Amino acid sequence: MRTVILTGAGISAESGVKTFRDSGGLWEGHDVRDVATPEAFERDPLLVQRFYDARRSQVRSVQPNDAHLALARLEAELGDDLLLVTQNVDDLHERAGSQRVLHMHGELLRARCLTCGERPGWADDLAHAPPCPACGEPRLRPDIVWFGEVPYHLEEIQEALFACELFAAIGTSGEVYPAAGFVAVAAAAGARTVELNLKASNVTDLFDEVHTGPATATVPRWADALLAGRG
Ligand code: APR
């Protein structure tokens, strides 16, 4: 069954990565507008670089949880029939074993050169303005899609949504577009739609089926049932 799964911050919450909107609009103490827009980066590049440096080093200290692992098992069974699209910038899906992951909002462990456009893998800090490995210019920014920027892989995602028979959204609040609109696209294409979330999201009403609870409990159960149902 051709399946698209969209994940958000909620799937990494039990690994210890903070979600964006569960702490009163603040993101680890910062208003998102101060750290996650191109304007913020122009105004105060050091603040933004330090913020992402801290997040990058935090992600190195956390581990994938049972929900990430369940999705990797699902991929092992479904193969190319499964496309995993994540809004998360951590690498927990990959570390759990998922191989086909589209990071529509970019990746913490990647930088982007403002001079030559290269997007090198990057595990260290950026605040000290290291040189780009490709062109040597010290103009690397985090390879994160900020508010007002266009997400990655939209064409490929749209094609998969048009063709899918099952769409699941896991741990995402349905507040940020275009991802929040994926359920409507998949439903219009005839897919069955499933939401797995700790609580109702902004778009819960659009789903055929809703599983409420922490991702480490709901996702393995749902994935196992899906595989059992394939007989
Ligand atoms: N299990 C399942 N769901 C959970 C859990 C959990 N343990 N903990 C929290 N959630 C759910 C919340 O109920 C909420 O619906 O995860 C969702 C987190 O929502 P957001 O913080 O808004 O995260 P997300 O939807 O991924 O944000 C989308 O917004 O700031 C931008 O670019 C950023 O990718 C991000 C995008």
Side-chain angles (χ1 to χ4, degrees):
M1 185 168 12
R2 288 187 302 276
T3 303
V4 176
I5 297 179
L6 170 71
T7 63
I11 197 166
S12 295
E14 289 161 85
S15 290
V17 183
K18 283 202 185 104
T19 64
F20 300 98
R21 290 180 182 77
D22 291 329
S23 49
L26 289 183
W27 191 8
E28 299 188 354
H30 297 276
D31 188 307
V32 284
R33 279 163 306 209
D34 293 334
V35 286
T37 63
E39 294 75 23
F41 186 61
E42 251 170 56
R43 197 168 52 235
D44 193 345
L46 202 56
L47 171 78
V48 174
Q49 294 283 27
R50 284 195 179 129
F51 174 75
Y52 285 100
D53 284 353
R55 286 177 58 82
R56 197 176 299 110
S57 89
Q58 189 220 2
V59 153
R60 284 199 301 264
S61 70
V62 301
Q63 300 302 326
N65 64 45
D66 286 349
H68 299 103
L69 291 166
L71 296 189
R73 281 204 306 278
L74 207 52
E75 185 189 85
E77 293 296 325
L78 298 183
D80 286 350
D81 272 352
L82 175 67
L83 180 65
L84 181 53
V85 177
T86 188
Q87 298 167 89
N88 297 345
V89 294
D90 63 52
D91 65 341
L92 295 179
H93 283 307
E94 285 88 346
R95 280 201 266 145
S98 288
Q99 291 179 14
R100 235 172 128 230
V101 187
L102 297 183
H103 283 270
M104 62 181 290
H105 291 165
E107 294 170 70
L108 270 176
L109 295 176
R110 200 171 283 286
R112 174 144 59 91
C113 178
L114 289 166
T115 300
C116 73
E118 185 77 7
R119 296 170 58 207
W122 202 267
D124 304 322
D125 289 349
L126 287 171
H128 60 292
C132 167
C135 73
E137 290 296 320
R139 299 188 66 228
L140 293 169
R141 60 164 269 186
D143 192 20
I144 303 287
V145 177
W146 288 325
F147 289 99
E149 298 184 318
V150 180
Y152 289 125
H153 310 296
L154 284 184
E155 227 168 277
E156 192 176 347
I157 295 168
Q158 182 134 325
E159 258 173 45
L161 289 171
F162 284 150
C164 76
E165 298 155 280
L166 176 66
F167 171 78
I170 303 173
T172 177
S173 59
E175 298 238 9
V176 174
Y177 284 82
F182 290 174
V183 57
V185 177
R192 179 165 182 77
T193 56
V194 186
E195 177 173 79
L196 300 97
N197 201 310
L198 194 57
K199 54 181 199 255
S201 76
N202 252 22
V203 290
T204 295
D205 290 352
L206 300 179
F207 287 87
D208 298 317
E209 190 182 317
V210 174
H211 299 256
T212 305
T216 54
T218 57
V219 177
R221 206 158 52 215
W222 171 76
D224 287 346
L226 196 67
L227 291 175
R230 284 167 80 227

